[in-house]
Amino acid sequence: MERRNNLFGLSAEAKTRLLGRLSSRQMPHAEPQRPDAASLAGSREIGLVTAAADYLGIADPYFLVHDGIAGAETMIDGHRYLNFASYDYLAFNGDERIVEAAKAAIDRYGTTVSASRAVSGERAIHRELEAALARLYGADDAMVLVGGHATNVSVIGALLGPGDVIAHDALAHNSVIEGARLSGARRLAFNHLDAEATDRMLGEAQPRRALIVIEGHYSMNGDVPDLAAFVAVARRHRAWLMVDDAHALGVLGPRGFGSAEHVGIDPGDVDIWMGTLSKTLVSCGGYIAGKRELIYRLKRLVPGFVFSVGMAPPAAAAALAALRILEAEPERVTRLNRNTTLFLNLLREGDLDTGNSIGAAIVPVITRSSIRAGKLAAALFARSINAPPILYPAVPERAARLRFFVTAGHSEAQLREAARIVIEESCAVMAEPIDLASVARFLGGPTD
């Protein structure tokens, strides 16, 4: 079992040896030193991954500089790539209507509101965006915050406290985990998508107050929960149900209105809707939609809203313009899902492991090895396809993968060509044996 979860399949002993080697590179002295970056939690793990990747000849696939708009295609260092690393699902980024809306907001309000909204940072564009989001979710009201990750952290952190319980999916986004930690509530992780396990956990815990947090569309797997089942669990235990629709808005449902439309439930059955403005809505920030009293109180209690500058006017205007186009042009959603279904089916015909993706924008190719994921990403990049790998420790070693974001902007020809190349390179990489023995020799210890 150890080998299944450790870096590149290495034993715990080999991993420890490398960490020791990395630590030994520090300057020897006995005097106390001021903290530096190397002392940060997780720094040694970063060094471990970097050193092992360097030894294996896997180039760093992250922090690549794009020369312009990263749509279905992108320019990196002067070279054109077919791009599967952007969650601009409906190909809105660069749309003239959205660009003009952002420019008009700058002309009217400037580039910042220069204050928290409660003090003197409130602008009409904020309220227009919030009203549009509330309308889309059939909610009384909404609030927008300057960051998507910060929205979950700050709102979850403010909703509950010690003595309460937060039940979340085992594959929950980091922002949910950090928000739960901040709250001080007891955290219960249930098996992925398992509403019955959630029901049992809450029945055993008998909390004073409880929050269930799920995602409407899971970004690593491209799968979705049985939303109606979680609504029933929440009602049975008188718990709040919070749904993170970050990767569902613009993707799920005939009009792209998200997970409630996808499964056909009343969005009012969900207590708290959360989402981000950086994906389909091609801006930056996060939002919460729900009952009027809830939003009223959150605007006065959530630190990330109360003590933060208000959203920049051009960002709010861009999101509002994108939302209006989403409502007016549902054919974009149809095209997105047609594209994803095609790409997913082609990869499955090539016997690639795409997990439980439902074929809605997100398609993983699971390699079950960080080495193989890194090598596959490098091979694709060499053939002008940009699809960064997801490696340990971001996911368990046996869940290492490439993740493809398909958009409405991809053409059928691009998707067919990409699928052909991915299948070719996957077959080559998967057929190549992983030389763990040589890695172990580098680390100075045996593998399992």
Side-chain angles (χ1 to χ4, degrees), residues 59-80:
D60 187 349
Y62 306 115
F63 297 100
L64 301 177
V65 178
H66 295 247
D67 300 334
I69 292 174
E73 293 184 341
T74 188
M75 296 290 291
I76 301 173
D77 197 23
H79 185 83
R80 187 175 298 278

Side-chain angles (χ1 to χ4, degrees), residues 246-260:
H247 291 271
L249 181 64
V251 174
L252 299 183
R255 298 172 296 172
F257 286 7
S259 51

Side-chain angles (χ1 to χ4, degrees), residues 22-215:
L22 293 171
S23 298
S24 68
R25 294 174 184 172
Q26 298 175 4
M27 293 295 292
H29 46 66
E31 296 179 5
Q33 297 294 306
R34 295 174 61 189
D36 60 14
S39 69
L40 292 172
S43 288
R44 292 202 306 166
E45 305 293 14
I46 293 172
L48 171 63
V49 172
T50 302
D54 286 346
Y55 174 76
L56 293 164
I58 300 174
D60 187 349
Y62 306 115
F63 297 100
L64 301 177
V65 178
H66 295 247
D67 300 334
I69 292 174
E73 293 184 341
T74 188
M75 296 290 291
I76 301 173
D77 197 23
H79 185 83
R80 187 175 298 278
Y81 292 85
L82 188 54
N83 187 36
F84 290 96
S86 167
Y87 38 55
D88 175 16
Y89 294 128
L90 298 184
F92 281 158
N93 194 20
D95 185 289
E96 290 185 3
R97 294 166 291 183
I98 298 172
V99 171
E100 289 303 316
K103 289 179 178 177
I106 292 175
D107 290 341
R108 180 176 177 182
Y109 300 112
T111 56
T112 178
V113 298
S114 303
S116 68
R117 286 180 55 187
V119 177
S120 63
E122 189 83 351
R123 302 293 185 269
I125 192 66
H126 296 141
R127 296 197 177 189
E128 290 177 49
L129 175 58
E130 289 168 343
L133 288 165
R135 182 176 66 252
L136 184 136
Y137 281 101
D140 294 340
D141 203 356
M143 61 187 289
V144 293
L145 296 89
V146 295
H149 186 282
T151 296
N152 269 337
V153 173
S154 204
V155 170
I156 294 173
L159 278 172
L160 295 102
D164 299 330
V165 164
I166 296 175
H168 65 78
D169 195 288
L171 300 186
H173 190 268
N174 171 267
S175 58
V176 173
I177 307 301
E178 295 303 323
R181 287 175 177 166
L182 178 64
S183 73
R186 180 184 176 193
R187 185 162 61 88
L188 302 175
F190 52 84
N191 290 336
H192 185 46
L193 305 180
D194 194 338
E196 292 183 3
T198 311
D199 194 15
R200 288 194 301 273
M201 286 179 171
L202 291 177
E204 293 169 359
Q206 293 291 311
R208 176 185 59 140
R209 293 188 306 168
L211 171 70
I212 302 170
V213 187
I214 60 174
E215 295 174 36

Side-chain angles (χ1 to χ4, degrees), residues 34-35 64 78 108 110 260 271 275 314-315 346 371 402 412 433:
R34 295 174 61 189
L64 301 177
R108 180 176 177 182
D271 303 289
L346 289 170
I371 291 177
L402 271 64
E412 179 178 341

Side-chain angles (χ1 to χ4, degrees), residues 364-390:
V365 171
I366 302 170
T367 64
R368 302 190 182 280
S369 157
S370 290
I371 291 177
R372 287 188 169 122
K375 288 187 172 182
L376 178 56
L380 294 180
F381 197 74
R383 297 185 68 175
S384 301
I385 294 177
N386 184 43
I390 311 295

